[in-house]
Amino acid sequence: MKSDSPLGAREASDPEERLRLLLDGLADACLCMLDAKGRITGIAGTLGDAHVPSRAGSLLGAPLARLYGAEEVAAGEPERDLAAAARERRHESQGWRRNLAGETIWAHAVITALPGGDGRAGAYAVVLRDLSERRRAERALQESEARYRAVSELTSDYAYAFRIDPDGRVVVEWVTGAFARITGYSLDEMQELQSVGGGLSIIHPDDQPIALARVQRLVLGRADTSEFRIVTKGGEIRWIRESGRPQRDGSGVLRIFGAAQDITERKLAEEEARARQAELAHVLRLGTMGEMAAGLAHEISQPLSAIVSYARGCTRRLRSGRLDAADLLQPIEEVAAQAMRANEIVQRLLLFVRKQKPARERIAANDLAREVINLIVGEARERGAKLELQLASGLPVVEVDKIQIEQVILNLARNGLEAMQTVPPEERTLVIRTSATGDGCVEFTVADRGEGLAADAVARVFEPFFTTKRSGLGMGLAISRSIVRGHGGRIAARANDGRGATFSFTLPGASGP
Amino acid sequence: MTPTRSEPTVFVIDDDPAMRHSLCWLLESEGLAVETFATGEDFLRTCDPDRHGCLVLDVRMPGLGGLGVQRELAARGIPWPVIVITGYADATTESRVRAAGAHAFLKKPFDDELLLDVVARAIEADRTRAGAP
């Protein structure tokens, strides 16, 4: 070892010099030679500092402590490490060190004692590796995770992380918060379920498809938020809203962070609200039917009268003997056809009045309008009004509670008919129109040519118990608005430029095929 | 006067095709001449005051309606008896129809005997009126 000029001479032929040049090339490491007293006698390697070759000379003769951080020096670590190396020949440590420029770095150090002539340490070799970058990355990950946990704990009832190893093994890494209180399962029991591949077994059977689709999305690296029911260990059903974020690391391990909220209370409240609305709508339908009785009686008396006339026309001809049997064919066919017509009217009413659980189905918007026309044709005739149906083509399908939406259209149509009672019969025209809006919705419009709406009525017409009619509760439009909103749509009223008022509401087009 | 003009005719006015056809079928079983119209306006457009007969008229129809037809006949001075039929007979409608001079007021579905009897008497009344000086 040329302790007097460690970096000065550059003779590539010298094997020691060649080793040193090689070490100089290491960007994140350096090798220091120390004498028996722990003073620096030579340095090779830059430890990330390009100026080392010119600076190294100034370090010669400095104690090992020069390579340690201030606190470590104060704690006596350099001496302790050196003593340990002397005792055990080799000592490893990790902590705050200083590089050749004096900057603090996080480093891994190995001190190896080189035996001297008397069997004691004659010199030491110190290899320092700068781990600052790796430490920063690890810290960033830990901090990010800690942040996630902290935020999760604040915003959710419980949070968790589990990992899926490349071999498909699922390991629950941590769970915080009220997981056990909500699900009834401890972390160990959950791990047990996971390891036998039954991680989804706590999901309610009806919601298994939701949970499976969710897992598929997460495994594909997509974030997901889903709502589903679980069955707790005690057999109770709870609603959970879970947000998951997948993160795949370099080794192929997929880690999924999740935050869950117990939304049981909210769901139950929603269900109750829906049930209430359905009940209210049912009561309103019964009321509507009562009010429509006149129109319905007229509607059904038509086919019944026709049947009587056809049948009696036949019996009279039979009795009088003035008869060609073939002449009876058509009237008798008509009797059957009119009986079917009467039956259809009855069935339609039954369907409308029947109490139903709220259920959404996909249906063409125009079919809804047509059904309502069928229900109201009798009343329109009775009131001497003309019905005009203007249906747009190519409308999106809607996913709605059919009975409820028909009721909304029916309410609007009946209001329109009533509003036209005071205008001359030839002007009584009610238009029911469907159209597409720019944003993928369907718009239903009911326009009358009646008395119209005063400006203050336009603003208040959807309020409960607001009515401009002599009879009526003033609940029809309020319930209509609540039904439309429940379907994600909007309802509006305006006075026409000429005569009458126009009511319209939108329904979002159903997503998917 | 041509024979067709002097022959009494039952004018059936109803917007429901089944009602028109079935009434026609029933009235013709008694050998009556029948003409049908889908609207009051159609009937008034072609109605010839020199003819004889009676009307079977639905109250509730789009447009003019039964009451409107009655008023228009009165305005034109056409005295044909009017038999009004309706599916839903509330007191107000009946009193209005009668006030407008209806010969009879029948509720659907009506008995065939009743209708034919009323029609026969209406035609008789019209004949008496026409034959009177």
Side-chain angles (χ1 to χ4, degrees):
Chain A
M1 199 85 200
K2 297 179 180 174
S3 59
D4 55 343
S5 59
L7 294 167
R10 294 197 172 256
E11 293 164 21
S13 56
D14 180 352
E16 194 178 314
E17 183 65 14
R18 248 184 290 170
L19 179 63
R20 194 167 49 75
L21 284 173
L22 186 69
L23 289 167
D24 278 352
L26 294 175
D28 64 344
C30 80
L31 168 68
C32 294
M33 295 306 297
L34 310 177
D35 63 14
K37 291 177 179 162
R39 283 192 298 265
I40 296 170
T41 56
I43 293 176
T46 63
L47 208 56
D49 183 349
H51 302 294
V52 164
S54 59
R55 197 179 275 139
S58 67
L59 293 174
L60 294 179
L64 173 63
R66 166 62 183 78
L67 298 175
Y68 279 67
E71 282 180 30
E72 284 72 17
V73 174
E77 277 186 33
E79 294 76 16
R80 243 195 330 272
D81 287 350
L82 206 61
R87 202 166 53 242
E88 296 154 15
R89 306 202 72 84
R90 190 172 185 280
H91 178 72
E92 277 185 53
S93 64
Q94 190 164 311
W96 295 112
R97 300 290 181 265
R98 276 188 288 167
N99 67 9
L100 304 185
E103 295 158 352
T104 304
I105 57 171
W106 182 265
H108 176 255
V110 180
I111 306 178
T112 308
L114 306 171
D118 53 358
R120 299 202 345 236
Y124 300 91
V126 182
V127 176
L128 269 184
R129 276 183 56 105
D130 184 356
L131 302 180
S132 301
E133 207 47 56
R134 189 193 293 182
R135 181 180 158 87
R136 258 196 295 281
E138 278 172 11
R139 289 295 284 251
L141 192 66
Q142 278 168 11
E143 274 168 24
S144 141
E145 193 181 306
R147 259 201 307 278
Y148 185 78
R149 283 172 78 141
V151 170
S152 302
E153 278 171 40
L154 284 175
T155 58
S156 62
D157 289 323
Y158 63 84
Y160 61 82
F162 66 90
R163 79 169 192 264
I164 303 171
D165 290 337
D167 62 4
R169 202 163 62 103
V170 177
V171 179
V172 180
E173 294 194 321
W174 51 261
V175 175
T176 68
F179 178 82
R181 182 174 62 71
I182 290 168
T183 65
Y185 289 99
S186 69
L187 178 56
D188 286 347
E189 286 170 326
M190 202 56 222
Q191 181 65 66
E192 183 81 4
L193 279 175
Q194 290 287 4
S195 63
V196 296
L200 291 177
S201 64
I202 79 164
I203 310 287
H204 189 284
D206 291 351
D207 291 347
Q208 291 277 347
I210 297 174
L212 274 172
R214 167 182 166 74
V215 169
Q216 278 162 7
R217 276 192 291 277
L218 289 170
V219 168
L220 288 172
R222 293 207 291 269
D224 174 82
T225 299
S226 301
E227 291 180 5
F228 47 80
R229 283 162 294 175
I230 60 166
V231 182
T232 67
K233 195 180 175 186
E236 197 190 342
I237 291 169
R238 302 203 74 85
W239 274 97
I240 299 291
R241 176 188 169 86
E242 227 174 69
S243 293
R245 189 165 58 88
Q247 208 170 55
R248 196 179 286 280
D249 70 16
S251 59
V253 170
L254 180 68
R255 199 166 265 107
I256 289 166
F257 296 100
Q261 265 176 300
D262 183 345
I263 54 166
T264 309
E265 301 292 322
R266 193 191 88 199
K267 281 286 180 182
L268 291 182
E270 278 174 10
E271 266 166 36
E272 198 184 315
R274 265 201 299 276
R276 285 255 171 91
Q277 192 185 66
E279 225 164 83
L280 207 58
H282 175 64
V283 170
L284 187 76
R285 277 203 295 282
L286 292 180
T288 306
M289 282 290 109
E291 290 168 25
M292 287 171 76
L296 298 173
H298 185 87
E299 176 79 353
I300 203 139
S301 72
Q302 305 279 89
L304 295 181
S305 306
I307 287 169
V308 172
S309 297
Y310 280 127
R312 289 285 154 77
C314 291
T315 53
R316 283 173 180 280
R317 282 173 174 78
L318 285 166
R319 285 207 190 89
S320 70
R322 298 180 287 108
L323 182 76
D324 184 350
D327 290 346
L328 292 183
L329 265 177
Q330 207 216 334
I332 294 175
E333 285 292 348
E334 276 297 323
V335 166
Q338 292 303 312
M340 294 309 288
R341 176 181 163 197
N343 181 53
E344 265 170 40
I345 296 165
V346 172
Q347 291 306 318
R348 218 156 52 217
L349 298 180
L350 277 182
L351 210 64
F352 182 74
V353 178
R354 188 177 302 151
K355 193 166 184 170
Q356 284 201 333
K357 277 165 97 181
R360 302 263 167 122
E361 58 182 298
R362 298 167 75 93
I363 185 166
N366 287 342
D367 286 350
L368 289 166
R370 286 194 197 98
E371 282 282 324
V372 173
I373 290 284
N374 282 337
L375 284 167
I376 201 141
V377 67
E379 185 169 357
R381 182 188 289 126
E382 181 208 345
R383 292 180 179 279
K386 230 171 58 185
L387 288 176
E388 225 177 281
L389 197 55
Q390 299 175 359
L391 302 178
S393 57
L395 292 177
V397 166
V398 290
E399 192 165 346
V400 298
D401 186 316
K402 184 179 151 198
I403 299 290
Q404 289 192 358
I405 294 300
E406 282 179 11
Q407 177 166 6
V408 172
I409 307 173
L410 186 64
N411 277 344
L412 300 181
R414 294 193 63 245
N415 284 347
L417 288 177
E418 273 181 56
M420 293 192 291
Q421 276 313 94
T422 52
V423 308
E426 59 273 19
E427 290 180 25
R428 294 176 195 164
T429 301
L430 185 80
V431 178
I432 298 181
R433 188 165 47 235
T434 59
S435 57
T437 66
D439 53 355
C441 291
V442 179
E443 185 168 54
F444 294 81
T445 306
V446 178
D448 64 59
R449 293 176 49 74
E451 298 161 57
L453 277 174
D456 62 323
V458 169
R460 297 188 50 210
V461 74
F462 294 108
E463 289 174 15
F465 305 112
F466 178 85
T467 181
T468 57
K469 296 186 279 191
R470 263 170 307 160
S471 64
L473 258 183
M475 283 304 287
L477 287 174
I479 293 175
S480 295
R481 179 173 66 175
S482 117
I483 291 173
V484 169
R485 285 183 174 170
H487 282 77
R490 297 177 309 278
I491 191 164
R494 62 180 169 82
N496 292 343
D497 289 340
R499 170 177 265 170
T502 296
F503 285 82
S504 59
F505 68 92
T506 60
L507 291 176
S511 53
Chain B
M1 235 185 228
T2 64
T4 46
R5 277 199 157 185
S6 62
E7 185 187 1
T9 305
V10 184
F11 301 100
V12 173
I13 308 158
D14 197 311
D15 64 318
D16 188 304
M19 281 302 300
R20 289 197 300 276
H21 298 156
S22 62
L23 278 170
C24 186
W25 172 255
L26 178 64
L27 294 165
E28 281 176 353
S29 73
E30 287 299 292
L32 292 161
V34 183
E35 286 179 26
T36 61
F37 302 87
T39 67
E41 289 85 340
D42 283 354
F43 165 72
L44 289 169
R45 221 178 353 261
T46 59
C47 122
D48 175 356
D50 290 338
R51 293 177 68 176
H52 300 286
C54 69
L55 269 69
V56 174
L57 179 65
D58 188 19
V59 175
R60 284 145 179 165
M61 291 185 292
L64 203 48
L67 214 56
V69 174
Q70 275 184 283
R71 287 186 185 130
E72 184 59 28
L73 282 178
R76 293 188 193 179
I78 300 173
W80 298 336
V82 178
I83 298 155
V84 172
I85 53 175
T86 179
Y88 180 76
D90 61 275
T92 322
T93 308
E94 182 167 356
S95 57
R96 276 191 193 160
V97 165
R98 288 199 186 280
H103 177 79
F105 184 79
L106 299 184
K107 188 180 169 317
K108 294 184 217 172
F110 37 76
D111 186 70
D112 58 319
E113 290 280 359
L114 183 60
L115 177 76
L116 291 170
D117 186 47
V118 167
V119 166
R121 281 196 278 137
I123 288 171
E124 190 50 41
D126 185 49
R127 181 175 291 142
T128 310
R129 178 198 53 78

